[in-house]
Amino acid sequence: MHALRKHIHPGWLIIAPLLVLVVALYLGPILNILWLSVTDPEPGFGNYAKLGESDALLRILWTTVRICIITTMFSVTLGYSIAYAMVHCHQRQKNYMLTLLLVSFWISILVRTFSWLMLLGRKGLVNVTLEDIGLIAEPIAFMRNEFGVLIGMIHYMIPYAVLPLLVSMQALDKRVMDASSNLGATGAQTFWRIYLPLTTPGLVASTLLVFILSLGFYVTPAVLGGGKVLMVAEYISVQLLVTLKWGTAAMLAALMLFGVLAMLWIMSQFMKLSTVFGGAAR
Amino acid sequence: MKVGLFSLFNRVGAWVLLLFLVTPALIAIPVSLTPKRFLSMPSGELSLRHFQKLFTSEEWLSSFFQSGVIAISTSVLATTLGTLCAIGLWRVSSKYSELVRAFLLLPLIIPQIISAMAFYRLWIPLGLLDSYVGLILAHTILAAPMVLITVSASLATFDPKLEQASKNLGASNWTTMRMVILPSIKPGVFAGALFAFILSWDEIVVTLFISKFSVYTLPRRMWNGIRENTDPTVAAAAVVLIAITFIAFVIFAIQSRRNASNNAT
């Protein structure tokens, strides 16, 4: 026991329970899924070859990527505006803003999706109001199309976009901006040439975070897309629960997983990942 | 002066956006008060019949109960494992421990649909599908990273000399942990427990895959209600969830304010 202690730090003893649990019950089956993608229904890269053969699969992938890109662009731009306003106002006002942000963060995804259903449906509040004031004669289709999915996703992702940006903006040295304006730069010049470049790490973190979270998003596309907008996550669930085709689902999951890991790697090139996830750097 | 104008404009925009984030959820309140039998906005007359139905329906009550049991168990289990692990990683603090930390955060960032597949895949042979144990274990693995993050953040501000002092004064490892470390990281543990509870209480994607009939959590029942899109009881449930969120948030805010003032004195 004593000899063992010399080599292994006793701290590992209390790390072990969680580590064992995650390796056995999480990493194990994920590796199994990766394995399935090249063995089910028969060994080989048949599942991946389907990507070249099936237009339907390609269309689903393209829909997913397109929706994720648009969602990310809007969420990060709007999130930047919110974070900028929060950093540049009085403490009191900032606290109120932070409260609203966190409350929206905490409201159940199902409650929010339900609300959009009530607002955007054919007889939803938005259509009824527009009809009442005579702006439109026929209800507009806000749902069961990409527009509805995008609204729901952007609404969900904005808080995730704001938080990394907020961290990065708060860490800035305000004297740099003062120096810039003392040297005669206009406000716009200071913003575009000093402020924006200095917040790049935050922008990258927020962009990749939102993109990663959007990739696997299931609830909102399934409800607001109403079966018309098929994204990868929903397709996987249909493959598993309805048609029972593990091979295709495993292939799509593997693609998604590698995409996410690649993005995490890019992210790690820009910053210490622990700062994004709030880990402790001692 | 142009900057001031731009900033002002941006600030107004930010407020509008923040209200856009919060207000849509509130539409559940009027819808839940409709006197009609289908989902609609009330016109004139209001009624509490859907709340009455929610609180007398055996199905909904059992879902509340099951979600509560699962979320509390998840919170306790994830907080225990996550806190121990965070303290361990903090004490080891080597290249390997940072690697392990990054690995343990993965369940948080890997898309939930993949996690759902993984649990589904493993729970079939283990016979854990549609059971409390299966759901609690799955939720614990998803929630433990949250605890790891909040506790690690608390540990980052903890002075390791205190630990040494305690040991030099003759305290055992266990006593040091209980009397010195745990009290100082209480805010992180508390926040982690709350986040773990909320994650489990609100979890739907993994739950959809690994539960069927015997375990029917609240999100699962709401999901069904949303898919069917007729019964206003869903709106009443949404209002109750909003209220719970609000109460949890107030508790959290009071707690963190108390911690802040404790630290100040």
Side-chain angles (χ1 to χ4, degrees), chain A residues 115-139:
Chain A
S115 307
W116 284 120
L117 214 58
M118 292 296 97
L119 285 168
L120 300 179
R122 276 182 73 82
K123 289 183 179 160
L125 190 61
V126 176
N127 269 326
V128 170
T129 314
L130 288 179
E131 275 177 311
D132 280 355
I133 56 176
L135 267 178
I136 53 169
E138 286 281 299

mmCIF file with all atom_site columns, all heavy atoms in Angstrom, chain A residues 115-139:
data_model
loop_
_atom_site.group_PDB
_atom_site.id
_atom_site.type_symbol
_atom_site.label_atom_id
_atom_site.label_alt_id
_atom_site.label_comp_id
_atom_site.label_asym_id
_atom_site.label_entity_id
_atom_site.label_seq_id
_atom_site.pdbx_PDB_ins_code
_atom_site.Cartn_x
_atom_site.Cartn_y
_atom_site.Cartn_z
_atom_site.occupancy
_atom_site.B_iso_or_equiv
_atom_site.pdbx_formal_charge
_atom_site.auth_seq_id
_atom_site.auth_comp_id
_atom_site.auth_asym_id
_atom_site.auth_atom_id
_atom_site.pdbx_PDB_model_num
ATOM 1   N N   . SER A 1 115 ? -44.434 27.636 -26.142 1.00 0.00 ? 115 SER A N   1
ATOM 2   C CA  . SER A 1 115 ? -44.821 29.033 -26.343 1.00 0.00 ? 115 SER A CA  1
ATOM 3   C C   . SER A 1 115 ? -44.738 29.428 -27.810 1.00 0.00 ? 115 SER A C   1
ATOM 4   O O   . SER A 1 115 ? -45.623 30.115 -28.327 1.00 0.00 ? 115 SER A O   1
ATOM 5   C CB  . SER A 1 115 ? -43.911 29.953 -25.538 1.00 0.00 ? 115 SER A CB  1
ATOM 6   O OG  . SER A 1 115 ? -43.884 29.548 -24.208 1.00 0.00 ? 115 SER A OG  1
ATOM 7   N N   . TRP A 1 116 ? -43.678 29.003 -28.478 1.00 0.00 ? 116 TRP A N   1
ATOM 8   C CA  . TRP A 1 116 ? -43.557 29.353 -29.901 1.00 0.00 ? 116 TRP A CA  1
ATOM 9   C C   . TRP A 1 116 ? -44.687 28.730 -30.708 1.00 0.00 ? 116 TRP A C   1
ATOM 10  O O   . TRP A 1 116 ? -45.189 29.322 -31.653 1.00 0.00 ? 116 TRP A O   1
ATOM 11  C CB  . TRP A 1 116 ? -42.198 28.920 -30.463 1.00 0.00 ? 116 TRP A CB  1
ATOM 12  C CG  . TRP A 1 116 ? -41.107 29.829 -30.032 1.00 0.00 ? 116 TRP A CG  1
ATOM 13  C CD1 . TRP A 1 116 ? -40.001 29.494 -29.309 1.00 0.00 ? 116 TRP A CD1 1
ATOM 14  C CD2 . TRP A 1 116 ? -41.010 31.238 -30.260 1.00 0.00 ? 116 TRP A CD2 1
ATOM 15  N NE1 . TRP A 1 116 ? -39.232 30.600 -29.073 1.00 0.00 ? 116 TRP A NE1 1
ATOM 16  C CE2 . TRP A 1 116 ? -39.824 31.683 -29.653 1.00 0.00 ? 116 TRP A CE2 1
ATOM 17  C CE3 . TRP A 1 116 ? -41.814 32.175 -30.925 1.00 0.00 ? 116 TRP A CE3 1
ATOM 18  C CZ2 . TRP A 1 116 ? -39.416 33.017 -29.679 1.00 0.00 ? 116 TRP A CZ2 1
ATOM 19  C CZ3 . TRP A 1 116 ? -41.414 33.500 -30.945 1.00 0.00 ? 116 TRP A CZ3 1
ATOM 20  C CH2 . TRP A 1 116 ? -40.235 33.909 -30.341 1.00 0.00 ? 116 TRP A CH2 1
ATOM 21  N N   . LEU A 1 117 ? -45.094 27.532 -30.283 1.00 0.00 ? 117 LEU A N   1
ATOM 22  C CA  . LEU A 1 117 ? -46.217 26.873 -30.947 1.00 0.00 ? 117 LEU A CA  1
ATOM 23  C C   . LEU A 1 117 ? -47.470 27.744 -30.837 1.00 0.00 ? 117 LEU A C   1
ATOM 24  O O   . LEU A 1 117 ? -48.215 27.948 -31.798 1.00 0.00 ? 117 LEU A O   1
ATOM 25  C CB  . LEU A 1 117 ? -46.448 25.531 -30.249 1.00 0.00 ? 117 LEU A CB  1
ATOM 26  C CG  . LEU A 1 117 ? -46.924 24.341 -31.050 1.00 0.00 ? 117 LEU A CG  1
ATOM 27  C CD1 . LEU A 1 117 ? -45.952 24.040 -32.152 1.00 0.00 ? 117 LEU A CD1 1
ATOM 28  C CD2 . LEU A 1 117 ? -47.052 23.145 -30.123 1.00 0.00 ? 117 LEU A CD2 1
ATOM 29  N N   . MET A 1 118 ? -47.694 28.291 -29.626 1.00 0.00 ? 118 MET A N   1
ATOM 30  C CA  . MET A 1 118 ? -48.870 29.137 -29.383 1.00 0.00 ? 118 MET A CA  1
ATOM 31  C C   . MET A 1 118 ? -48.762 30.471 -30.117 1.00 0.00 ? 118 MET A C   1
ATOM 32  O O   . MET A 1 118 ? -49.763 31.056 -30.506 1.00 0.00 ? 118 MET A O   1
ATOM 33  C CB  . MET A 1 118 ? -49.014 29.415 -27.880 1.00 0.00 ? 118 MET A CB  1
ATOM 34  C CG  . MET A 1 118 ? -49.366 28.219 -27.034 1.00 0.00 ? 118 MET A CG  1
ATOM 35  S SD  . MET A 1 118 ? -50.973 27.560 -27.447 1.00 0.00 ? 118 MET A SD  1
ATOM 36  C CE  . MET A 1 118 ? -50.524 26.258 -28.550 1.00 0.00 ? 118 MET A CE  1
ATOM 37  N N   . LEU A 1 119 ? -47.536 30.955 -30.286 1.00 0.00 ? 119 LEU A N   1
ATOM 38  C CA  . LEU A 1 119 ? -47.363 32.269 -30.913 1.00 0.00 ? 119 LEU A CA  1
ATOM 39  C C   . LEU A 1 119 ? -47.392 32.183 -32.426 1.00 0.00 ? 119 LEU A C   1
ATOM 40  O O   . LEU A 1 119 ? -47.976 33.029 -33.105 1.00 0.00 ? 119 LEU A O   1
ATOM 41  C CB  . LEU A 1 119 ? -46.035 32.888 -30.466 1.00 0.00 ? 119 LEU A CB  1
ATOM 42  C CG  . LEU A 1 119 ? -45.980 33.453 -29.050 1.00 0.00 ? 119 LEU A CG  1
ATOM 43  C CD1 . LEU A 1 119 ? -44.544 33.748 -28.649 1.00 0.00 ? 119 LEU A CD1 1
ATOM 44  C CD2 . LEU A 1 119 ? -46.811 34.730 -28.972 1.00 0.00 ? 119 LEU A CD2 1
ATOM 45  N N   . LEU A 1 120 ? -46.760 31.146 -32.985 1.00 0.00 ? 120 LEU A N   1
ATOM 46  C CA  . LEU A 1 120 ? -46.501 31.141 -34.420 1.00 0.00 ? 120 LEU A CA  1
ATOM 47  C C   . LEU A 1 120 ? -47.464 30.282 -35.234 1.00 0.00 ? 120 LEU A C   1
ATOM 48  O O   . LEU A 1 120 ? -47.410 30.298 -36.459 1.00 0.00 ? 120 LEU A O   1
ATOM 49  C CB  . LEU A 1 120 ? -45.065 30.659 -34.697 1.00 0.00 ? 120 LEU A CB  1
ATOM 50  C CG  . LEU A 1 120 ? -43.938 31.489 -34.078 1.00 0.00 ? 120 LEU A CG  1
ATOM 51  C CD1 . LEU A 1 120 ? -42.585 30.879 -34.413 1.00 0.00 ? 120 LEU A CD1 1
ATOM 52  C CD2 . LEU A 1 120 ? -43.994 32.918 -34.584 1.00 0.00 ? 120 LEU A CD2 1
ATOM 53  N N   . GLY A 1 121 ? -48.332 29.538 -34.571 1.00 0.00 ? 121 GLY A N   1
ATOM 54  C CA  . GLY A 1 121 ? -49.238 28.656 -35.300 1.00 0.00 ? 121 GLY A CA  1
ATOM 55  C C   . GLY A 1 121 ? -50.186 29.410 -36.223 1.00 0.00 ? 121 GLY A C   1
ATOM 56  O O   . GLY A 1 121 ? -50.250 30.637 -36.201 1.00 0.00 ? 121 GLY A O   1
ATOM 57  N N   . ARG A 1 122 ? -50.954 28.657 -37.021 1.00 0.00 ? 122 ARG A N   1
ATOM 58  C CA  . ARG A 1 122 ? -51.900 29.306 -37.936 1.00 0.00 ? 122 ARG A CA  1
ATOM 59  C C   . ARG A 1 122 ? -52.909 30.151 -37.193 1.00 0.00 ? 122 ARG A C   1
ATOM 60  O O   . ARG A 1 122 ? -53.339 31.203 -37.641 1.00 0.00 ? 122 ARG A O   1
ATOM 61  C CB  . ARG A 1 122 ? -52.640 28.241 -38.759 1.00 0.00 ? 122 ARG A CB  1
ATOM 62  C CG  . ARG A 1 122 ? -51.896 27.782 -39.981 1.00 0.00 ? 122 ARG A CG  1
ATOM 63  C CD  . ARG A 1 122 ? -52.721 26.755 -40.755 1.00 0.00 ? 122 ARG A CD  1
ATOM 64  N NE  . ARG A 1 122 ? -53.840 27.386 -41.449 1.00 0.00 ? 122 ARG A NE  1
ATOM 65  C CZ  . ARG A 1 122 ? -53.719 27.996 -42.618 1.00 0.00 ? 122 ARG A CZ  1
ATOM 66  N NH1 . ARG A 1 122 ? -52.564 28.044 -43.208 1.00 0.00 ? 122 ARG A NH1 1
ATOM 67  N NH2 . ARG A 1 122 ? -54.771 28.539 -43.208 1.00 0.00 ? 122 ARG A NH2 1
ATOM 68  N N   . LYS A 1 123 ? -53.323 29.648 -36.017 1.00 0.00 ? 123 LYS A N   1
ATOM 69  C CA  . LYS A 1 123 ? -54.241 30.435 -35.186 1.00 0.00 ? 123 LYS A CA  1
ATOM 70  C C   . LYS A 1 123 ? -53.510 30.984 -33.973 1.00 0.00 ? 123 LYS A C   1
ATOM 71  O O   . LYS A 1 123 ? -54.117 31.220 -32.930 1.00 0.00 ? 123 LYS A O   1
ATOM 72  C CB  . LYS A 1 123 ? -55.432 29.578 -34.757 1.00 0.00 ? 123 LYS A CB  1
ATOM 73  C CG  . LYS A 1 123 ? -56.356 29.296 -35.914 1.00 0.00 ? 123 LYS A CG  1
ATOM 74  C CD  . LYS A 1 123 ? -57.570 28.524 -35.484 1.00 0.00 ? 123 LYS A CD  1
ATOM 75  C CE  . LYS A 1 123 ? -58.478 28.300 -36.682 1.00 0.00 ? 123 LYS A CE  1
ATOM 76  N NZ  . LYS A 1 123 ? -59.399 27.199 -36.454 1.00 0.00 ? 123 LYS A NZ  1
ATOM 77  N N   . GLY A 1 124 ? -52.203 31.150 -34.125 1.00 0.00 ? 124 GLY A N   1
ATOM 78  C CA  . GLY A 1 124 ? -51.399 31.648 -33.014 1.00 0.00 ? 124 GLY A CA  1
ATOM 79  C C   . GLY A 1 124 ? -51.597 33.141 -32.811 1.00 0.00 ? 124 GLY A C   1
ATOM 80  O O   . GLY A 1 124 ? -52.213 33.829 -33.628 1.00 0.00 ? 124 GLY A O   1
ATOM 81  N N   . LEU A 1 125 ? -51.039 33.617 -31.714 1.00 0.00 ? 125 LEU A N   1
ATOM 82  C CA  . LEU A 1 125 ? -51.243 35.015 -31.330 1.00 0.00 ? 125 LEU A CA  1
ATOM 83  C C   . LEU A 1 125 ? -50.752 35.985 -32.410 1.00 0.00 ? 125 LEU A C   1
ATOM 84  O O   . LEU A 1 125 ? -51.409 36.985 -32.714 1.00 0.00 ? 125 LEU A O   1
ATOM 85  C CB  . LEU A 1 125 ? -50.522 35.287 -30.008 1.00 0.00 ? 125 LEU A CB  1
ATOM 86  C CG  . LEU A 1 125 ? -50.838 36.631 -29.363 1.00 0.00 ? 125 LEU A CG  1
ATOM 87  C CD1 . LEU A 1 125 ? -52.311 36.724 -29.028 1.00 0.00 ? 125 LEU A CD1 1
ATOM 88  C CD2 . LEU A 1 125 ? -49.993 36.829 -28.110 1.00 0.00 ? 125 LEU A CD2 1
ATOM 89  N N   . VAL A 1 126 ? -49.620 35.686 -33.014 1.00 0.00 ? 126 VAL A N   1
ATOM 90  C CA  . VAL A 1 126 ? -49.055 36.614 -34.000 1.00 0.00 ? 126 VAL A CA  1
ATOM 91  C C   . VAL A 1 126 ? -49.985 36.732 -35.209 1.00 0.00 ? 126 VAL A C   1
ATOM 92  O O   . VAL A 1 126 ? -50.352 37.843 -35.626 1.00 0.00 ? 126 VAL A O   1
ATOM 93  C CB  . VAL A 1 126 ? -47.656 36.146 -34.439 1.00 0.00 ? 126 VAL A CB  1
ATOM 94  C CG1 . VAL A 1 126 ? -47.116 37.050 -35.530 1.00 0.00 ? 126 VAL A CG1 1
ATOM 95  C CG2 . VAL A 1 126 ? -46.717 36.130 -33.251 1.00 0.00 ? 126 VAL A CG2 1
ATOM 96  N N   . ASN A 1 127 ? -50.400 35.603 -35.757 1.00 0.00 ? 127 ASN A N   1
ATOM 97  C CA  . ASN A 1 127 ? -51.294 35.639 -36.921 1.00 0.00 ? 127 ASN A CA  1
ATOM 98  C C   . ASN A 1 127 ? -52.624 36.306 -36.596 1.00 0.00 ? 127 ASN A C   1
ATOM 99  O O   . ASN A 1 127 ? -53.125 37.124 -37.369 1.00 0.00 ? 127 ASN A O   1
ATOM 100 C CB  . ASN A 1 127 ? -51.539 34.222 -37.434 1.00 0.00 ? 127 ASN A CB  1
ATOM 101 C CG  . ASN A 1 127 ? -50.524 33.840 -38.497 1.00 0.00 ? 127 ASN A CG  1
ATOM 102 O OD1 . ASN A 1 127 ? -50.096 34.694 -39.273 1.00 0.00 ? 127 ASN A OD1 1
ATOM 103 N ND2 . ASN A 1 127 ? -50.126 32.588 -38.520 1.00 0.00 ? 127 ASN A ND2 1
ATOM 104 N N   . VAL A 1 128 ? -53.205 35.965 -35.448 1.00 0.00 ? 128 VAL A N   1
ATOM 105 C CA  . VAL A 1 128 ? -54.504 36.532 -35.074 1.00 0.00 ? 128 VAL A CA  1
ATOM 106 C C   . VAL A 1 128 ? -54.393 38.048 -34.928 1.00 0.00 ? 128 VAL A C   1
ATOM 107 O O   . VAL A 1 128 ? -55.237 38.800 -35.428 1.00 0.00 ? 128 VAL A O   1
ATOM 108 C CB  . VAL A 1 128 ? -55.007 35.886 -33.757 1.00 0.00 ? 128 VAL A CB  1
ATOM 109 C CG1 . VAL A 1 128 ? -56.220 36.628 -33.224 1.00 0.00 ? 128 VAL A CG1 1
ATOM 110 C CG2 . VAL A 1 128 ? -55.340 34.425 -33.991 1.00 0.00 ? 128 VAL A CG2 1
ATOM 111 N N   . THR A 1 129 ? -53.324 38.494 -34.269 1.00 0.00 ? 129 THR A N   1
ATOM 112 C CA  . THR A 1 129 ? -53.150 39.935 -34.078 1.00 0.00 ? 129 THR A CA  1
ATOM 113 C C   . THR A 1 129 ? -52.984 40.644 -35.413 1.00 0.00 ? 129 THR A C   1
ATOM 114 O O   . THR A 1 129 ? -53.616 41.675 -35.677 1.00 0.00 ? 129 THR A O   1
ATOM 115 C CB  . THR A 1 129 ? -51.911 40.200 -33.194 1.00 0.00 ? 129 THR A CB  1
ATOM 116 O OG1 . THR A 1 129 ? -51.944 39.320 -32.090 1.00 0.00 ? 129 THR A OG1 1
ATOM 117 C CG2 . THR A 1 129 ? -51.893 41.632 -32.703 1.00 0.00 ? 129 THR A CG2 1
ATOM 118 N N   . LEU A 1 130 ? -52.151 40.080 -36.271 1.00 0.00 ? 130 LEU A N   1
ATOM 119 C CA  . LEU A 1 130 ? -51.928 40.711 -37.579 1.00 0.00 ? 130 LEU A CA  1
ATOM 120 C C   . LEU A 1 130 ? -53.223 40.769 -38.377 1.00 0.00 ? 130 LEU A C   1
ATOM 121 O O   . LEU A 1 130 ? -53.502 41.755 -39.066 1.00 0.00 ? 130 LEU A O   1
ATOM 122 C CB  . LEU A 1 130 ? -50.853 39.941 -38.366 1.00 0.00 ? 130 LEU A CB  1
ATOM 123 C CG  . LEU A 1 130 ? -49.418 40.091 -37.858 1.00 0.00 ? 130 LEU A CG  1
ATOM 124 C CD1 . LEU A 1 130 ? -48.462 39.263 -38.699 1.00 0.00 ? 130 LEU A CD1 1
ATOM 125 C CD2 . LEU A 1 130 ? -48.990 41.557 -37.880 1.00 0.00 ? 130 LEU A CD2 1
ATOM 126 N N   . GLU A 1 131 ? -54.043 39.716 -38.271 1.00 0.00 ? 131 GLU A N   1
ATOM 127 C CA  . GLU A 1 131 ? -55.316 39.711 -38.992 1.00 0.00 ? 131 GLU A CA  1
ATOM 128 C C   . GLU A 1 131 ? -56.273 40.751 -38.413 1.00 0.00 ? 131 GLU A C   1
ATOM 129 O O   . GLU A 1 131 ? -56.972 41.449 -39.139 1.00 0.00 ? 131 GLU A O   1
ATOM 130 C CB  . GLU A 1 131 ? -55.952 38.314 -38.934 1.00 0.00 ? 131 GLU A CB  1
ATOM 131 C CG  . GLU A 1 131 ? -55.428 37.388 -40.007 1.00 0.00 ? 131 GLU A CG  1
ATOM 132 C CD  . GLU A 1 131 ? -56.015 35.993 -39.889 1.00 0.00 ? 131 GLU A CD  1
ATOM 133 O OE1 . GLU A 1 131 ? -55.993 35.437 -38.773 1.00 0.00 ? 131 GLU A OE1 1
ATOM 134 O OE2 . GLU A 1 131 ? -56.490 35.472 -40.900 1.00 0.00 ? 131 GLU A OE2 1
ATOM 135 N N   . ASP A 1 132 ? -56.277 40.843 -37.076 1.00 0.00 ? 132 ASP A N   1
ATOM 136 C CA  . ASP A 1 132 ? -57.186 41.786 -36.416 1.00 0.00 ? 132 ASP A CA  1
ATOM 137 C C   . ASP A 1 132 ? -56.904 43.223 -36.810 1.00 0.00 ? 132 ASP A C   1
ATOM 138 O O   . ASP A 1 132 ? -57.822 44.019 -36.991 1.00 0.00 ? 132 ASP A O   1
ATOM 139 C CB  . ASP A 1 132 ? -57.080 41.641 -34.885 1.00 0.00 ? 132 ASP A CB  1
ATOM 140 C CG  . ASP A 1 132 ? -57.895 40.452 -34.400 1.00 0.00 ? 132 ASP A CG  1
ATOM 141 O OD1 . ASP A 1 132 ? -58.578 39.848 -35.260 1.00 0.00 ? 132 ASP A OD1 1
ATOM 142 O OD2 . ASP A 1 132 ? -57.831 40.129 -33.199 1.00 0.00 ? 132 ASP A OD2 1
ATOM 143 N N   . ILE A 1 133 ? -55.618 43.577 -36.910 1.00 0.00 ? 133 ILE A N   1
ATOM 144 C CA  . ILE A 1 133 ? -55.332 44.956 -37.269 1.00 0.00 ? 133 ILE A CA  1
ATOM 145 C C   . ILE A 1 133 ? -55.289 45.120 -38.786 1.00 0.00 ? 133 ILE A C   1
ATOM 146 O O   . ILE A 1 133 ? -54.973 46.190 -39.286 1.00 0.00 ? 133 ILE A O   1
ATOM 147 C CB  . ILE A 1 133 ? -54.014 45.465 -36.639 1.00 0.00 ? 133 ILE A CB  1
ATOM 148 C CG1 . ILE A 1 133 ? -52.840 44.566 -37.014 1.00 0.00 ? 133 ILE A CG1 1
ATOM 149 C CG2 . ILE A 1 133 ? -54.137 45.549 -35.127 1.00 0.00 ? 133 ILE A CG2 1
ATOM 150 C CD1 . ILE A 1 133 ? -51.514 45.074 -36.501 1.00 0.00 ? 133 ILE A CD1 1
ATOM 151 N N   . GLY A 1 134 ? -55.650 44.054 -39.502 1.00 0.00 ? 134 GLY A N   1
ATOM 152 C CA  . GLY A 1 134 ? -55.840 44.174 -40.939 1.00 0.00 ? 134 GLY A CA  1
ATOM 153 C C   . GLY A 1 134 ? -54.579 44.205 -41.767 1.00 0.00 ? 134 GLY A C   1
ATOM 154 O O   . GLY A 1 134 ? -54.601 44.617 -42.924 1.00 0.00 ? 134 GLY A O   1
ATOM 155 N N   . LEU A 1 135 ? -53.463 43.787 -41.203 1.00 0.00 ? 135 LEU A N   1
ATOM 156 C CA  . LEU A 1 135 ? -52.221 43.806 -41.975 1.00 0.00 ? 135 LEU A CA  1
ATOM 157 C C   . LEU A 1 135 ? -52.180 42.664 -42.988 1.00 0.00 ? 135 LEU A C   1
ATOM 158 O O   . LEU A 1 135 ? -51.633 42.804 -44.078 1.00 0.00 ? 135 LEU A O   1
ATOM 159 C CB  . LEU A 1 135 ? -51.024 43.702 -41.040 1.00 0.00 ? 135 LEU A CB  1
ATOM 160 C CG  . LEU A 1 135 ? -50.406 45.036 -40.594 1.00 0.00 ? 135 LEU A CG  1
ATOM 161 C CD1 . LEU A 1 135 ? -49.255 44.790 -39.638 1.00 0.00 ? 135 LEU A CD1 1
ATOM 162 C CD2 . LEU A 1 135 ? -49.914 45.828 -41.804 1.00 0.00 ? 135 LEU A CD2 1
ATOM 163 N N   . ILE A 1 136 ? -52.742 41.520 -42.602 1.00 0.00 ? 136 ILE A N   1
ATOM 164 C CA  . ILE A 1 136 ? -52.741 40.376 -43.508 1.00 0.00 ? 136 ILE A CA  1
ATOM 165 C C   . ILE A 1 136 ? -54.152 39.808 -43.609 1.00 0.00 ? 136 ILE A C   1
ATOM 166 O O   . ILE A 1 136 ? -54.953 39.944 -42.678 1.00 0.00 ? 136 ILE A O   1
ATOM 167 C CB  . ILE A 1 136 ? -51.780 39.258 -43.029 1.00 0.00 ? 136 ILE A CB  1
ATOM 168 C CG1 . ILE A 1 136 ? -52.094 38.894 -41.566 1.00 0.00 ? 136 ILE A CG1 1
ATOM 169 C CG2 . ILE A 1 136 ? -50.337 39.678 -43.172 1.00 0.00 ? 136 ILE A CG2 1
ATOM 170 C CD1 . ILE A 1 136 ? -51.401 37.653 -41.088 1.00 0.00 ? 136 ILE A CD1 1
ATOM 171 N N   . ALA A 1 137 ? -54.455 39.191 -44.749 1.00 0.00 ? 137 ALA A N   1
ATOM 172 C CA  . ALA A 1 137 ? -55.782 38.597 -44.934 1.00 0.00 ? 137 ALA A CA  1
ATOM 173 C C   . ALA A 1 137 ? -55.734 37.110 -44.602 1.00 0.00 ? 137 ALA A C   1
ATOM 174 O O   . ALA A 1 137 ? -56.664 36.552 -44.028 1.00 0.00 ? 137 ALA A O   1
ATOM 175 C CB  . ALA A 1 137 ? -56.258 38.809 -46.365 1.00 0.00 ? 137 ALA A CB  1
ATOM 176 N N   . GLU A 1 138 ? -54.641 36.459 -44.972 1.00 0.00 ? 138 GLU A N   1
ATOM 177 C CA  . GLU A 1 138 ? -54.477 35.027 -44.735 1.00 0.00 ? 138 GLU A CA  1
ATOM 178 C C   . GLU A 1 138 ? -53.412 34.818 -43.668 1.00 0.00 ? 138 GLU A C   1
ATOM 179 O O   . GLU A 1 138 ? -52.453 35.586 -43.599 1.00 0.00 ? 138 GLU A O   1
ATOM 180 C CB  . GLU A 1 138 ? -53.985 34.357 -46.032 1.00 0.00 ? 138 GLU A CB  1
ATOM 181 C CG  . GLU A 1 138 ? -55.044 34.219 -47.087 1.00 0.00 ? 138 GLU A CG  1
ATOM 182 C CD  . GLU A 1 138 ? -55.959 33.052 -46.789 1.00 0.00 ? 138 GLU A CD  1
ATOM 183 O OE1 . GLU A 1 138 ? -55.456 31.924 -46.744 1.00 0.00 ? 138 GLU A OE1 1
ATOM 184 O OE2 . GLU A 1 138 ? -57.159 33.281 -46.572 1.00 0.00 ? 138 GLU A OE2 1
ATOM 185 N N   . PRO A 1 139 ? -53.555 33.794 -42.821 1.00 0.00 ? 139 PRO A N   1
ATOM 186 C CA  . PRO A 1 139 ? -52.478 33.540 -41.854 1.00 0.00 ? 139 PRO A CA  1
ATOM 187 C C   . PRO A 1 139 ? -51.165 33.209 -42.567 1.00 0.00 ? 139 PRO A C   1
ATOM 188 O O   . PRO A 1 139 ? -51.159 32.517 -43.597 1.00 0.00 ? 139 PRO A O   1
ATOM 189 C CB  . PRO A 1 139 ? -52.991 32.330 -41.062 1.00 0.00 ? 139 PRO A CB  1
ATOM 190 C CG  . PRO A 1 139 ? -54.232 31.879 -41.694 1.00 0.00 ? 139 PRO A CG  1
ATOM 191 C CD  . PRO A 1 139 ? -54.692 32.902 -42.657 1.00 0.00 ? 139 PRO A CD  1
#
